[in-house]
Amino acid sequence: LCGFGLSGCINGPAPEARQFGKCIWVSRWEFKTQADLDSIIKKCAGAGFDTVFLQVRGNGTVHYPSRQEIWSDNYEHKSPGFDPLSYAVVAAHAHGLKLHAWINMGPGWSGDKPPASSRQLFRSRPEWFLRNADGKTFEEATSYSTRGRPHFVTTGDFVDF
């Protein structure tokens, strides 16, 4: 899928050289608390970045309140008591940074066993996942890493900020 996205960008009109300025990507494994986000944002600003891409979805779990998906395993699938995405936006703006939510739509679940929560997409939307001829999800025989079937989901209808 990356190849398609990249080739579309390469074949399209040339982007402005400094369209985003100095950017950094922060993975969903880098933060759990408000203090983590404060530290990350402060370091990004101090290093001269002007834009932060903060990963807030992956593995079929999220780092913001959602009616559709469960909280990240970073928070043991429970509310951490604050909205990490909203908090990061406010913190970034306070340091003069732009913040973009990085949403991985492809990963549906990965782990040694299926997710316990019935609200996790692997269980609540099984038709969204790739299956082999035997009806098993992709790589289900060795792990529960699986990819969603993106043509089943209209992102704008599903992602609920």
Side-chain angles (χ1 to χ4, degrees):
L1 290 176
C2 281
F4 290 119
L6 290 175
S7 67
C9 291
I10 293 168
N11 294 331
E16 293 290 324
R18 299 286 297 175
Q19 184 176 356
F20 284 111
K22 226 176 147 184
C23 306
I24 188 166
W25 175 71
V26 178
S27 83
R28 65 187 191 264
W29 296 288
E30 305 303 321
F31 59 94
K32 289 184 182 181
T33 67
Q34 292 171 328
D36 291 340
L37 288 165
D38 286 334
S39 175
I40 289 166
I41 296 297
K42 185 176 179 181
K43 287 177 183 176
C44 290
F49 291 100
D50 59 20
T51 304
V52 176
F53 289 90
L54 184 70
Q55 185 182 22
V56 295
R57 187 198 185 275
N59 201 31
T61 63
V62 296
H63 290 263
Y64 55 86
S66 171
R67 295 180 311 274
Q68 305 289 334
E69 296 185 272
I70 62 173
W71 283 99
S72 167
D73 49 347
N74 286 27
Y75 315 112
E76 299 178 6
H77 306 292
K78 299 176 202 151
S79 171
F82 74 107
D83 177 345
L85 177 55
S86 291
Y87 188 87
V89 168
V90 171
H93 291 175
H95 285 86
L97 302 173
K98 297 175 192 171
L99 189 128
H100 296 275
W102 183 278
I103 299 171
N104 290 63
M105 292 305 293
W109 179 254
S110 63
D112 295 335
K113 57 187 176 186
S117 173
S118 62
R119 286 190 59 227
Q120 208 283 337
L121 295 178
F122 187 89
R123 295 196 182 275
S124 68
R125 305 285 187 164
E127 71 277 13
W128 287 2
F129 291 85
L130 298 172
R131 302 220 174 246
N132 66 17
D134 297 325
K136 293 191 182 275
T137 57
F138 183 66
E139 297 180 5
E140 191 172 12
T142 56
S143 74
Y144 284 88
S145 294
T146 188
R147 291 297 220 192
R149 295 166 63 176
H151 63 280
F152 273 105
V153 184
T154 302
T155 305
D157 294 338
F158 183 72
V159 175
D160 58 344
F161 289 117

